[in-house]
Structures are given as C-alpha cells and as structure tokens.
C-alpha cells in the first residue's frame, strides 16, 4: 500500500504557515504501518490541483487531501477531485443543518456560498465535523481511497482520529505490527538523557530509540516491530524497564500525557486543590491546567498581578518587603506563594516573579526567575533560575519548571 | 518565472519533523516576488527522487532542493540530479579541507564516505557552508536554475541569505514589483466579508484579493504587481481605500499586527490600564497581552477564579447573587467586571464566565459565555454568546471576542 498527502492552499506556498498537517498525518500513518511516499503542497488553482490529483491517482492507494473545503471561490478541492472521481456532489443534510444553526445562533445571515461547505460525494462516507463546518469525506474510487479533510489542524485531527484511522484499519486489515511508545522525561536535558542511554541507543535495532527535545522536557520514542502487535508490545515493555532503571527518576508518563495532565491527575489523587500567584508568567501557568478537562476539581484560581502595586493590593505583599528586596526576589516569591495559598484556600500554591524581558527590571537581567512553592503544611521553598532566550521562551520555561517542581514534590507523597 | 521547493528525506515522511524549510524559503521568495507553485517532500529513494526531479524540470524555472547532501548511502540528491543535469561531480577542494579539518580537530578518523559531501557539479556555483559540511550549489541547466541546499535549517538559511537570494536577484533582475499587504478584520465572518467584497474579488486581477480565516477573525491579502514597487504600492493603496469604504468598521490593522497588539496600542494611547476577571478563560485572556513586550504599561492584572467560592472570595461576587442567578449569568459577569475594575484599579475591566465543556454546568450547555465590560465611568455592559466546538476552541473564541469588544469600544474614544 502507498499513501500520499496533499495540502491545498496558497497560504502554504506564500510561507504564511508550515504544512504541519502533513507531518501529523504521516506520524499517525507511520504508527499504523502505512507507508507515506510523498507530501505535496499546491495553491488554490484549479489546473494545478487537478494535475496533482491526477498524479496521485496514478501512483497511490490512499490519498489524503487537506484544505480547500471552505465556502469561498478559492476552495476548489471538491470540484477538482470530481473530475477524477466522477460522482455527483450532493448537499449533506446534517452538515447543512449545522451550518444553518450556526448562523441562526449567532444571529447572522447565512450567505449562499456557505451551502458549498455541505457538499459531499454521492457515494462517499461522510465524517461529521464536530469542530467546524465542512465535513470530512472518504470516497472509494478505482481501487483507491480518497480522503478529504479540512485544513484547520484541530478539525483535521479530530476527523482523522474519529473517522479516517478506524476506516483504514478496517479496510486494509492493518495489523499493529509496528508499535511505538513515547516516554516523557522532565528535569533532564536531551544530551544528558542521550548520554546516559547511549549504549542502548547505538546497539538497538528493534526496538529503536529516538530522543526528541521540546521546551524544558524530553521525549523518547521506542518503536518495535513484531509478527504480532503483542510481540512488538512485549519488546517495548522489556526495553522500557531497562530505560526506567537508568533514568526513571525523570520519567513522568507515556503517550497521551503531558506534564500538566500528570500534575492534574496527581492533584486529583491526593485530593489537593491548586492556587497560583503569577507575575511574569501572567496567567500562562494556570491557563495550561484550565485548558484540560477536569480542571475544576483541582483548581482554585490564580492571582495575576503584573505591577508592584497589584502585588501589594491583590496578593498582600507588604510595601516594606518590596521596598527592601524588590518584587524580583526570593522574599517576594515566598510571600506570594504563602499568601496565594491562604487567599485561594489552596493545598498547593505556586508563585512566579521575574524578568521576561526584553528589558531588564529592578536591575535584574531578563531570564531571572523566582518560583515559590508551598504544599499543605510544609515549609515554603523558593527556587531561583536563570533562563535563556526570548521573552516568550523565558515565560514558557518558567511555566514548565513550575509544573516540574510540583510534579517532583507531590509524586511520592 | 515559476519556482518550486523539493525536500528530500524519509524523516519528513515519517512525520518526525515538519517541512519548515519549505515555509521559510517560500516566505523569502514571496518577499522577492518569486512565485512558488509547489512544495514536495520525497523519501530517500533513487527512483522517486528522480521522478520528482524530472517533473520539476518539466514545469519550473527555479528548483530548490533541500536535503540529501550528507555522507550516507541514503543521501542521493546529487546522484539523482546528475541524471538530468548530466555534468560530472568533482570534489570541491575548499569543502574537502573543511571536512578533513573537522575530523582532525575532533580527533576522529574520517571515514571514506565523508568525501562524498564535498562533491559538486562541474559547472556549478559552489556556496561554502559556514555552519556545516556539505556546500550549497547552484547549477544552471537547460534554462533552469537548480539550487541544492543542506536540510539542516540553520545551514539552509545561511546559504540562502548569503548565496541564493543575491544570485536570484542578480540573475533574474528581480525588482520588488510584487507587493502585498495583509489586512485584518474582526467581528465579521469570512463568508460575509467575501460576500460584501464579492464584486471586487471576482473582478480583480491586479491587485488580487484572497481572504484567509482564522479563529474569530479574517485576513485579506491584497497582492499587486507593477513595473516598480511604488506602482504596486499605489495600486494597493487605491484598493485598500475601496475595501475600507465597504468593511472598514471591522478593520483593525495590517501586516505585523494582531488584535492583542492593536488593543495594547489603543490602551497605551488612551493612557488606560486593563484588568480582568476570568473564569472559563482561566488566564488565557490576560496571558495573550502579557506575551507582548510593553505589556507592563497597560496591564494591572487578572483575577482567575475558577470556582464559585473563589468568585465570592477573590472577586467579591455576593453569595446571594450566585444563589439566585448562578455564576454563568449576566448578573455574575456584570459584577465580576465592576469588581475587577475596582480591585485592580483599572480603567478598562473585562470579565469572562461560561461553560467551556466538555460537560454542561449549572444547567447550561458548553459554549454559553458571558463577557462583561466596563470602561472608565461608563455603564457596564454584558454580552452573551453561544460558541461552538471543543473546550479549547470555545475558550479561544471567548478570548478573541473579549479583545474584539474592547477594540470596538475604545477605538473611537
């Protein structure tokens, strides 16, 4: 079986966005053992879209097309594909009702061009779009599977997971004979991890190990093949045990977890509620946790105080403390954590104060960050860091470090 | 002139990395007015690389190939291109010395396959690689320019800037005769915008107009060509004026602005400071503004209160109000805004309360959102919305809507 992925959209050829859809789809296909032979990006031009569809038809068994399903004249994926597939395009009633309802609810007039988004191939499988307007479609034609998905990444991913991947597993009787697990580590750098595991990484061919760094944490993908899925999974289990013996103290979970979801689950397990006092992180810390479902059982809130005056008024830091030590100090971070714990009636309280840059502040360089932490009746602790990089990177590193500190403090309670 | 970009590397087809090189090159080309017609990604396979090179040769004038120049057997860009270009491959002395020196310095033995990295086309232009081993190359053949660059982004970018872009400007006598401006609109849907501008969009060939939707706002790219840059810019100015007559009330800025930076600048101009009270948005609203430099002159802070109790304790919403109306109500949003304004000593205060989902809350459906707003001494106002989609999407829509409301309220003050 050969698969290929085609992205339609002039914005990609102008460099306004990268084709991350192509990457995401390829990763999912790789984990199912479906080989992807080509990615293409083509603009919103009928002749060129047709040409690339013809070429795909001549060489691939599974053709995934993202983008070009919207309401505008530029959106011509359906019309171009129709020249190959030959089926009629009909209005999908469910999709049309959803579009109409959207405009009704928002008290806007639906313009006629919106009907186009509900058009589907007569003999295709319609994949209802929970996240947006245009449904996804799978059309079997001439021994090939054409898969049409919206270009918006959240819509594309949701339709892939709910409709496309199950369809492919069913239709092609795919065996999960390639299995992989992504292990996540925090508090250890990529090169240190790689160094500690160097013997394993260089010797192994099955499973293979591939480290993958991101901001403040490291992933390690273990990929194994076997006659059966069970055989592959067994190989992974053995390798995982060896890895945990070496770097287990930095490990926080595998596959569909994040450090935020891990902390949420740990808080839940302990029956702890979390409160924060944020200066340079500016709501970014609490926002990451509130982004997850189930946040309401573990979160109290966050006091985002961006000025010295607000730290006094909202978090109750004494003016004399600020005068003596400044807001970017061990003392201020400690008081912020203690007071946030009291004000927000939290079991775990964390505070962030520091310099995000680009300018220095209170005579301290960008990247200087103090994080305060108080858990239950323990004594509060404060950690000082010097992070590198842009304003954005410094703030992201601080947030990630906050989760790391909470994780390491409560995982063994 | 037509350009295309080909990335060679199986790691891209496995989804291990995204083709950000394609995006970067396209952006640079767009700014020089070189139209890119296609991106392709192909694996390290001789037959398939050859096929895609043949196709590129038949349709494009400038062909940029990234990747496949390394020392391993998998690296076959040179050999595949040789079948079209026909020139001999010779060892470049400067590159070879650099490679040998590297191994000498690192006290490693240079294996024979490393010599391959120094191979260049006999009649090509060699671009010395300051950041890595394999040099870049430009080969003119059959009226086309073939450009070979390493796949490592830092090496590729450095060679593009120092060698490729100057070459293209020289050889094709490029003038900045293609100019574009991205106009941003908020509070109007993509299809409504397109409908209002449909006559302009369908009639125009120079400038051209292309709408681009994102969460809660719409971009409109105007692209004009002219004998000179000034001529193109003049065409854009005329078109822009026409557009503003039709949909100017939704326009907030062009090119390197966002609704957040626009609101920051407006607050600055009015000397206003902003405070927020956030429930379902959970810090995401204030975080967007704090992410920008210069936030400290316009932001007081945000009270992130995720539970009813915290709304009472931290924002001072009366228990009786919550008992009578619930926290997801007009009344609660109004009190949150009024109290946030007072507590945070703000000139502009905004509040968010609602249901992000996935579950309903207080008998209200996911997507129900109330936004309260009070500006200076004006009466507070509350707006109710019903947003669609996932938890993430509902929260993002609420945040964007908050900026939209502030923008529309203060732009004409």
């Amino acid at each position: 079986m050969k698969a290929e992925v085609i992205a339609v959209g002039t914005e990609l050829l102008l460099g306004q966005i990268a084709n991350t859809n192509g990457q995401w789809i390829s990763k999912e296909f790789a984990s199912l053992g479906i080989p992807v032979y080509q990615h293409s990006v083509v603009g919103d031009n009928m002749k060129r879209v047709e040409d690339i569809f013809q070429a795909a038809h001549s060489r691939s068994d599974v053709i995934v097309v993202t983008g070009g399903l919207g309401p505008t004249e530029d959106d011509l994926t359906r019309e171009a594909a129709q020249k190959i597939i030959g089926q009629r395009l009909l209005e999908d009633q469910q999709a049309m009702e959803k579009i109409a309802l959207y405009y009704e609810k928002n008290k806007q007039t639906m313009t006629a061009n919106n009907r186009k988004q509900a058009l589907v191939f007569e003999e295709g499988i319609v994949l209802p779009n929970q996240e947006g307007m245009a449904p996804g479609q799978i059309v079997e034609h001439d021994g090939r599977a054409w898969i049409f998905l919206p270009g918006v990444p959240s819509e594309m991913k949701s339709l892939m997971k709910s409709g496309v991947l199950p369809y492919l597993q069913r239709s092609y009787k795919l065996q999960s004979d390639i299995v992989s697990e992504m292990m996540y580590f925090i508090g250890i750098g990529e090169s240190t991890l790689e160094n500690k595991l160097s013997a394993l990484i260089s010797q192994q061919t099955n499973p293979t190990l591939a480290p993958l760094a991101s901001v403040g944490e490291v992933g390690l993908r273990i990929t194994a093949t076997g006659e059966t899925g069970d055989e592959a999974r067994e190989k992974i289990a053995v390798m995982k045990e060896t890895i945990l013996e070496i770097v287990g103290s930095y490990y926080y979970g595998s596959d569909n977890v994040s450090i935020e979801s891990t902390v949420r689950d740990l808080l839940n397990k302990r029956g702890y509620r979390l409160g924060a006092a944020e200066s340079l992180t500016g709501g970014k810390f609490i926002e990451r946790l509130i982004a997850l479902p189930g946040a309401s059982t573990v979160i109290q809130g966050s006091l985002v105080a961006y000025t010295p005056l607000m730290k006094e008024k909202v978090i109750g830091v004494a003016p004399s403390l600020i005068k003596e030590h400044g807001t970017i100090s061990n003392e201020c971070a400690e008081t912020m954590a203690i007071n946030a714990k009291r004000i927000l009636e939290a079991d775990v309280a964390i505070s962030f104060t520091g310099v995000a840059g680009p300018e220095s502040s209170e005579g301290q360089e960008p990247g200087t960050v103090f994080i305060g932490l108080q858990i239950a009746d323990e004594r509060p602790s404060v950690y000082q860091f010097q992070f590198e990089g842009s304003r954005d990177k410094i703030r992201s590193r601080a947030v990630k470090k906050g989760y790391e500190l909470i994780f390491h403090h409560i995982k063994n309670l």
Side-chain angles (χ1 to χ4, degrees), chain A:
Chain A
M1 183 181 22
K2 292 183 186 174
E4 72 175 278
V5 183
I6 301 169
V8 181
T10 300
E11 66 278 14
L12 291 150
L13 294 180
L14 289 168
Q16 292 167 357
I17 49 174
N19 184 17
T20 52
N21 283 346
Q23 180 191 15
W24 192 89
I25 292 166
S26 292
K27 211 181 230 173
E28 293 296 316
F29 276 22
S31 74
L32 285 182
I34 304 172
V36 176
Y37 279 69
Q38 188 161 337
H39 292 175
S40 311
V41 176
V42 64
D44 302 312
N45 172 288
M46 184 59 89
K47 171 75 173 65
R48 287 192 288 275
V49 174
E50 261 185 72
D51 284 353
I52 212 153
F53 283 2
Q54 284 291 0
H57 184 78
S58 72
R59 69 191 166 207
S60 294
D61 308 299
V62 174
I63 301 148
V64 184
V65 183
T66 60
L69 299 180
T72 76
E73 280 180 35
D74 273 357
D75 293 298
L76 36 76
T77 291
R78 287 180 196 83
E79 291 72 13
Q82 195 178 28
K83 306 204 177 171
I84 294 169
I85 293 173
Q87 295 176 20
R88 285 194 301 165
L89 286 163
L90 306 177
E91 213 168 76
D92 181 65
Q93 207 186 326
Q94 199 190 343
M96 198 55 239
E97 278 167 12
K98 199 180 166 188
I99 295 168
L101 192 66
Y102 171 86
Y103 280 92
E104 202 183 303
K105 269 190 179 170
N106 286 273
K107 300 187 177 60
Q108 290 176 19
T109 313
M110 189 188 80
T111 50
N113 53 355
N114 278 288
R115 302 196 80 90
K116 190 174 142 182
Q117 296 188 84
L119 290 181
V120 297
F121 284 101
E122 192 170 13
E123 296 167 32
I125 302 167
V126 179
L127 310 172
N129 185 348
Q130 306 298 334
E131 308 268 331
M133 301 271 192
Q137 302 177 51
I138 301 173
V139 188
E140 293 172 357
H141 172 70
D142 202 7
R144 284 136 182 93
W146 283 86
I147 297 163
F148 302 100
L149 298 169
V152 177
S154 61
E155 300 179 23
M156 179 280 292
K157 289 178 192 174
S158 152
L159 292 171
M160 279 286 290
K161 286 182 201 161
S162 63
V164 176
L165 298 176
Y167 163 83
L168 291 171
Q169 282 179 298
R170 229 168 30 236
S171 308
Y172 293 87
K173 295 187 180 47
L174 298 173
Q175 291 161 349
S176 294
D177 54 359
I178 301 190
V179 178
S180 74
E181 175 171 338
M182 179 69 102
M183 297 177 74
Y184 291 106
F185 301 85
I186 197 159
I188 183 170
E190 186 190 13
S191 58
T192 313
L193 181 94
E194 201 171 329
N195 216 38
K196 283 181 188 280
L197 300 177
S198 64
L200 283 181
I201 292 173
S202 61
Q203 285 161 22
Q204 291 301 322
T205 53
N206 183 19
T208 57
L209 297 179
L212 186 75
S214 67
V215 176
E217 54 180 293
V218 193
L220 183 70
R221 183 175 288 274
I222 319 177
T223 308
T225 56
E227 291 285 310
T228 64
D230 281 346
E231 190 192 315
R233 271 183 288 276
E234 176 57 26
K235 285 184 188 163
I236 287 184
V238 172
M239 173 57 77
K240 187 175 172 182
E241 205 166 312
T242 312
I243 292 167
L244 288 177
E245 276 167 25
I246 305 171
V247 287
S249 59
Y250 305 99
Y251 172 73
Y252 72 77
S254 287
D255 292 331
N256 298 315
V257 301
S258 61
I259 189 65
E260 293 87 354
S261 72
T262 304
V263 164
R264 176 198 58 190
D265 296 344
L266 282 170
L267 290 169
N268 235 328
K269 205 168 133 191
R270 314 263 178 262
Y272 280 171
R273 298 188 68 98
L274 178 75
E278 304 187 57
S279 182
L280 89 153
T281 54
K284 198 180 178 80
F285 174 81
I286 205 73
E287 137 66 15
R288 292 274 181 93
L289 208 52
I290 293 183
L292 304 175
S296 59
T297 58
V298 298
I299 291 182
Q300 295 290 76
S302 180
L303 306 170
V304 181
Y306 205 61
T307 64
L309 182 66
M310 286 301 113
K311 289 182 184 74
E312 295 173 16
K313 276 214 53 173
V314 176
I315 316 185
V317 181
S320 59
L321 184 155
I322 293 178
K323 204 173 167 193
E324 188 177 347
H325 302 284
T327 61
I328 300 152
S329 64
N330 203 303
E331 290 75 8
C332 188
E334 184 176 36
T335 304
M336 283 169 70
I338 293 170
N339 292 5
K341 186 165 181 298
R342 192 187 65 245
I343 297 168
L344 298 171
E345 301 183 0
D347 305 293
V348 176
I350 189 162
S351 69
F352 300 86
T353 180
V355 192
E359 280 87 39
S360 296
S361 178
E362 299 183 8
Q364 310 236 42
E365 273 180 48
T368 307
V369 174
F370 293 87
I371 302 180
L373 184 64
Q374 188 174 20
I375 295 171
D377 302 321
E378 289 176 23
R379 283 173 57 92
S381 37
V382 177
Y383 303 83
Q384 183 178 353
F385 302 95
Q386 187 64 44
F387 298 125
E388 297 290 322
S390 64
R391 178 177 178 84
D392 205 40
K393 199 156 181 185
I394 289 168
R395 298 177 65 244
S396 297
R397 288 288 286 119
V399 165
K400 194 60 78 81
K401 189 54 85 173
Y403 284 104
E404 180 190 328
L405 290 172
I406 295 176
F407 169 68
H408 283 302
H409 273 79
I410 66 174
K411 68 175 172 179
N412 297 322
L413 286 187

